[in-house]
Amino acid sequence: MDAQKPLAFFDIDGTLIRSSLLIELCRNLVRLGVFPQRAERELQKTRIAWEERHGSYHPYVMAVVSVYYRYLAGCSVNQVTSIAEMTAREQEYRVYVYTRELIKRLHSTHTLIAITGSPDIVARPFTALWGFDQRFVFSSTAEITDGQFTGRRLIRPHEDGKDQFIDQCLTLLPGSTLAHSIGVGDTEGDISLLERVAYPIAFNPNFALAQVARKHGWRMVIERKDAIWVNGELLA
């Protein structure tokens, strides 16, 4: 039955969730003493630069990635899993209205697919809360040995290219095509995915994605406070 449905691809961080699952998980791991306090101090410079708009988001989130996997080494899988599930529940409704309602509308008509650079340990429980079939959740994974994380990353969707997961979905769903497919993303890391779907949506795009979206005439959606603009028109 899934094979007959159009495919809907969603980035998660900054597209559905208003923050980042990785950032929120890292904060909780520090707060609950799994990661040392120095992990937060190491992020302070790039975080403040982003918050004060002296720097961009990308250096900050990449610093979080580096810190997370470095301090993940040696941590208990069970302990981190528990905190990740708690983080997913905390963030369940801290989402954007436009993408929240889009997912609700598409749930019965499309196969929902999540592709995120956040760790699977938090991405899977979060997307499960939003009705994503876990066969179609593609996220970063980390190596595990004897019940502990080694700190080594195995799958890296943002760095390896999200479009490869489109092909995986087409393989998992024999007979499916990209006809009537939808894709939603917010940064240049989503361009390779958006270029392949039938109906690309640049949601709160950064400058690099906005340039490409404008060039190709893609739908651009901006949500700020309680207002949503679609291609410059205020959505009622």
Side-chain angles (χ1 to χ4, degrees):
M1 186 172 181
D2 281 336
Q4 307 305 315
K5 292 182 178 181
L7 309 181
F9 300 89
F10 285 84
D11 177 49
I12 299 298
D13 299 317
T15 306
L16 176 56
I17 177 179
R18 302 180 74 92
S19 180
S20 155
L21 289 171
L22 172 61
I23 289 172
E24 299 302 329
L25 174 57
C26 204
R27 284 174 177 165
N28 278 336
L29 289 168
V30 171
R31 181 174 63 85
L32 295 173
V34 177
F35 285 2
Q37 288 293 323
R38 66 177 177 273
E40 180 61 31
R41 291 195 295 271
E42 289 178 23
L43 296 171
Q44 186 174 14
K45 183 176 180 180
T46 53
R47 175 179 57 78
I48 292 175
W50 160 244
E51 290 175 345
E52 296 181 351
R53 298 302 190 265
H54 298 305
S56 66
Y57 178 74
H58 184 71
Y60 171 45
V61 75
M62 293 311 297
V64 177
V65 169
S66 176
V67 164
Y68 173 76
Y69 285 100
R70 181 152 32 92
Y71 288 109
L72 187 66
C75 289
S76 160
V77 171
N78 289 339
Q79 187 176 32
V80 176
T81 297
S82 177
I83 294 171
E85 291 173 349
M86 178 197 74
T87 302
R89 291 191 299 271
E90 285 178 347
Q91 299 301 316
E92 179 179 4
Y93 297 112
R94 298 174 186 179
V95 295
Y96 285 104
V97 173
Y98 179 84
T99 41
R100 177 191 76 191
E101 297 305 312
L102 181 60
I103 286 171
K104 288 180 181 179
R105 290 198 305 272
L106 297 179
H107 193 273
S108 62
T109 60
H110 287 64
T111 297
L112 301 179
I113 299 162
I115 306 177
T116 174
S118 280
D120 62 339
I121 202 168
V122 65
R124 288 189 173 278
F126 178 81
T127 53
L129 292 170
W130 281 94
F132 284 80
D133 186 323
Q134 295 301 289
R135 292 177 298 166
F136 308 114
V137 175
F138 302 95
S139 48
S140 295
T141 61
E143 185 178 62
I144 296 171
T145 301
D146 298 328
Q148 293 184 326
F149 289 104
T150 68
R152 179 179 172 228
R153 283 190 290 166
L154 300 177
I155 298 176
R156 303 173 295 182
H158 266 79
E159 297 172 41
D160 298 336
K162 289 189 174 183
D163 57 319
Q164 66 175 302
F165 299 103
I166 294 179
D167 296 321
Q168 289 189 36
C169 290
L170 295 175
T171 299
L172 287 169
L173 296 168
S176 63
T177 71
L178 294 178
H180 309 296
S181 59
I182 295 172
V184 186
D186 68 328
T187 71
E188 66 271 26
D190 300 307
I191 291 173
S192 64
L193 184 152
L194 297 177
E195 285 177 330
R196 292 188 60 185
V197 298
Y199 302 102
I201 301 173
F203 179 76
N204 284 347
N206 68 356
F207 186 74
L209 177 56
Q211 284 185 306
V212 174
R214 183 171 62 181
K215 176 182 176 181
H216 293 292
W218 296 346
R219 172 171 289 197
M220 273 199 283
V221 179
I222 307 296
E223 180 175 331
R224 290 291 183 270
K225 298 181 179 179
D226 62 347
I228 300 172
W229 287 268
V230 178
N231 290 344
E233 297 291 329
L234 187 62
L235 189 66

